[in-house]
Amino acid sequence: MKIAVYSAQPYDRRFLDEARTAMPGVDAAYFSDRLELDTVPLAQGCTAVCVFVNDILDAPVLEALHALGVRAVLLRCAGFNNVDLQAGVRLGLFMARVPAYAPEAVAEHALALVMTLNRRTHRAYVRVREGNFALDGLLGMTLHGKTVGIVGAGQIGACAARIFHGMGCKVLVSDPAPTPQLDGVAERASLDALLARSDVVSLHCPLLDATRHMINSASVARMKRGAMLVNTSRGGLIDTAAVIDALKSGQLGALAIDVYEQESTLFFQDHSSDIIADDVFQRLMTFPNVLVTGHQGFFTIEAMREIAAVTFANLACHMQGSPCANALPHT
């Protein structure tokens, strides 16, 4: 068994190789290239591919992989909006994901973004290194007693709710599913009520047809004026152009994102010597009240080890022909 690992970074190889020691006979070929139609030939001789959030797995790519002899698609991530599930089923491909990995890691990163942007610690760090100890422009708010709205109460959203509750915040949660795990921690609210009442809104939703651009001109207009918006989930949840307009008008007080709708051509690579042609992203970076990180919310030792372990556990299910709880499509 040989696996082609796409979008592979040095840290991916470190943790995947560590987990692979438990599966003798399984070999891996690592490619920094993103999976798309032009890079399918890299999987020649492999019976499985291992992919990440920005790899393309539409019908043409899956058909080309199948023609090469690939029979398994292993996602080392939770999201699968980049996969044509119907095509995969039609081709008889085994497809599996890592549905949850150290959810605390992403929830803690959401808190880090809120704290950094609120107290301007990123700007204070630069000032102090230059010998500037002035406080003007660094004024924040005390989070204790503020209302934080959590949109999406899966494992990550529930962790985030508990963290903010522990800080003394009033926590609202909006989710179509019941949330008994948050009894005594958060108050359930409709999305509109949550947007209207929250000082901070943190998104923890999957990217589905129903959630794409859930933050748009209309929904931003329903937010409390001057509120902070945080997204550590999927970039497509936000209509970036609408958010830029809201930042310009002051309707949105601050924005912190670890994901971006067009991130596939930017994130996980060093573009420090390049001209970035994405004008929307470049406009975002001009705002002093915008903080962007490059999809690092998941990036902890514990999460990376769990991702690798679950990825190879999914592969073992495929090799043994046994049921896999993480298989796609799922109900």
Side-chain angles (χ1 to χ4, degrees), residues 8 44 78 83 136 141 148 178 182 192 222 238 244 252-253 256 274 297 303 323:
Q44 182 73 47
V83 184
D136 284 346
M141 64 180 177
V148 177
L182 293 179
D192 283 352
R222 293 194 291 272
I238 291 178
I244 287 174
L252 187 63
D274 302 335

Side-chain angles (χ1 to χ4, degrees), residues 219-255:
S219 56
V220 171
R222 293 194 291 272
M223 292 178 67
K224 178 185 290 189
R225 185 171 179 82
M228 180 189 297
L229 175 64
V230 183
N231 187 11
T232 55
S233 188
R234 287 290 178 267
L237 299 176
I238 291 178
D239 180 342
T240 311
V243 166
I244 287 174
D245 287 341
L247 287 164
K248 289 164 62 178
S249 71
Q251 171 62 19
L252 187 63
L255 173 70

